[in-house]
Amino acid sequence: MKRILLLQTGGTISMQFEKDGVFLDPARWSQVLYQQMPELTQIADISIENVFFEDSSDINPLHWSTLAERIYRRLKEFDGFVVLHGTDTMAYTASALSFALNPLNKPVIFTGSQVPMSNIRSDARRNLVNAVELATHPIHEVAICFNDHLFRGNRSTKMSIGDFNAFESPNFPPLAEIGIHINFSPDVMENDSLTPTCNANFDDAIHVIKIHPAMNTRALECMDISTFKAVIIEAFGIGNMPIKGPYNMLPFIKKCRDRNCYVIITSQAAYDAINLEHYSSGRAVKELGGLSAGEMTMEAAITKTMHLLGLNLEETKFNSQFLTNLAGERSDTETHSN
Ligand code: ASP
């Protein structure tokens, strides 16, 4: 039987309904989980460890490092890992781990639920059973198992607050679809011959700016850019933003670049990729040294930026690494001329 390590980090799956809402209750959760165990042990030989116990909105890069290092230390002992995690930031943690544990030669399958497992009509049991089953297969990457689908972690994003179908990977087909049989995609990574590594330093000196019509550029002018090493701009469509009159974003971008702060362009549209060559504003941003996040999710762009900053790379190396597909997060490798 395959040996699976089930790592608990909290989230709705482990919460308890009270009359005012849902709450983390570690004691009650242990009882509920142990009730599921006899059935799970038909699939695998399972060990359980608590890493932390948080609503995932409180999870930060220190939690990512703790989790990545825990998995790395236990890689030889187990055939696969299942991480129970809140849905709100699951795609961030999964993306962060995909960069920290790269390459990886074991499955690391994240799951959680929209309704606590302690509720009768919960999606938790199905997600957990599927995740444990998937962790016994040769899936050598970080993935999210939710609602009968397996998605690449750094391609996933939370799309729904109220539907069991909470996750999608807009620019990448699911790694597996789970019905009577499990249908795997040929894209699933298999790295048997690669030696796994762990690099779990994340630098949080970043800031995210979402462009909107009539954005107040005066507020941006007052920003102390010296506290950031990278600004991630969530632009319109293919990578556009205002470049005229009082809303012109270019002076702010120039100021960032003059202070050696990276400027990364992502899109508010979930599908398809940034192209900074297509329109005037994209070309102007690229000319100033803006970097395209291509088809990366916001979660992947943020965690990849923190990961690369954590490596203390010199600028040309940072640029080329950001534009390169490192862990399946983007399929295009772009070049940068600045
Ligand atoms: N707030 C919860 C969390 O992310 C939501 C969930 O798990 O669905 O921890």
Side-chain angles (χ1 to χ4, degrees), residues 34-329:
Y34 280 101
Q35 277 161 14
Q36 305 297 325
M37 286 314 288
E39 298 184 19
L40 289 177
T41 53
Q42 290 173 28
I43 309 175
D45 173 6
I46 299 173
S47 305
I48 303 178
E49 286 181 14
N50 294 333
V51 190
F52 38 83
F53 216 71
E54 302 281 3
D55 183 298
S56 74
S57 45
D58 272 319
I59 287 179
N60 62 50
L62 290 178
H63 295 95
W64 302 341
S65 306
T66 304
L67 189 54
E69 281 160 6
R70 175 81 66 105
I71 292 171
Y72 185 68
R73 276 203 309 276
R74 315 301 294 277
L75 270 181
K76 290 209 172 87
E77 285 169 65
F78 292 93
D79 299 299
F81 298 81
V82 171
V83 181
L84 301 183
H85 196 289
T87 60
D88 287 342
T89 67
M90 188 186 291
Y92 287 90
T93 307
S95 298
L97 262 62
S98 77
F99 299 117
L101 298 168
N102 183 26
L104 185 62
N105 62 358
K106 300 278 167 73
V108 175
I109 313 292
F110 277 72
T111 197
S113 66
Q114 294 282 59
V115 178
M117 185 162 324
S118 51
N119 271 54
I120 294 178
R121 219 176 56 73
S122 167
D123 51 335
R125 194 173 172 284
R126 177 164 56 112
N127 288 346
L128 178 58
V129 168
N130 284 341
V132 171
E133 168 73 42
L134 286 165
T136 66
H137 289 262
I139 300 163
H140 298 160
E141 56 179 301
V142 181
I144 291 181
C145 172
F146 222 90
N147 197 43
D148 293 340
H149 286 82
L150 184 72
F151 302 106
R152 177 165 293 165
N154 57 31
R155 294 288 193 145
S156 307
T157 196
K158 181 171 175 175
M159 298 294 265
S160 171
I161 302 165
D163 201 293
F164 284 157
N165 201 18
F167 287 90
E168 277 182 37
S169 55
N171 287 318
F172 202 72
L175 293 176
E177 291 182 23
I178 306 155
I180 295 176
H181 303 289
I182 302 180
N183 291 323
F184 286 100
S185 130
D187 296 317
V188 172
M189 290 187 199
E190 283 196 52
N191 300 324
D192 273 323
S193 56
L194 298 176
T195 309
T197 58
C198 179
N199 208 316
N201 283 338
F202 295 94
D203 188 334
D204 64 0
I206 66 155
H207 188 65
V208 176
I209 295 169
K210 181 166 186 157
I211 296 287
H212 58 83
M215 179 139 165
N216 185 340
T217 47
R218 286 184 309 281
L220 296 180
E221 275 158 32
C222 301
M223 232 162 79
D224 180 3
I225 294 169
S226 66
T227 54
F228 309 126
K229 295 179 188 161
V231 168
I232 299 175
I233 298 180
E234 201 182 357
F236 301 129
I238 207 164
N240 292 319
M241 62 190 76
I243 54 168
K244 286 186 183 165
Y247 306 115
N248 182 1
M249 285 293 296
L250 297 177
F252 172 71
I253 292 177
K254 179 158 182 347
K255 192 167 151 192
C256 292
R257 294 300 303 131
D258 288 347
R259 286 166 178 66
N260 296 322
C261 175
Y262 296 106
V263 174
I264 288 157
I265 311 298
T266 63
S267 179
Q268 293 170 25
Y271 287 89
D272 303 321
I274 293 288
N275 178 352
L276 296 179
E277 317 263 320
H278 203 66
Y279 292 102
S280 305
S281 74
R283 288 191 290 272
V285 169
K286 186 167 183 184
E287 184 68 31
L288 290 173
L291 290 171
S292 155
E295 63 198 322
M296 277 191 273
T297 59
M298 193 59 175
E299 293 88 334
I302 288 176
T303 55
K304 184 175 185 178
T305 303
M306 288 190 190
H307 166 71
L308 293 179
L309 290 176
L311 296 177
N312 278 318
L313 305 171
E314 53 138 69
E315 184 168 329
T316 47
K317 185 77 178 158
F318 180 98
N319 290 344
S320 68
Q321 290 284 285
F322 189 81
L323 296 171
T324 299
N325 171 28
L326 300 180
E329 75 283 4

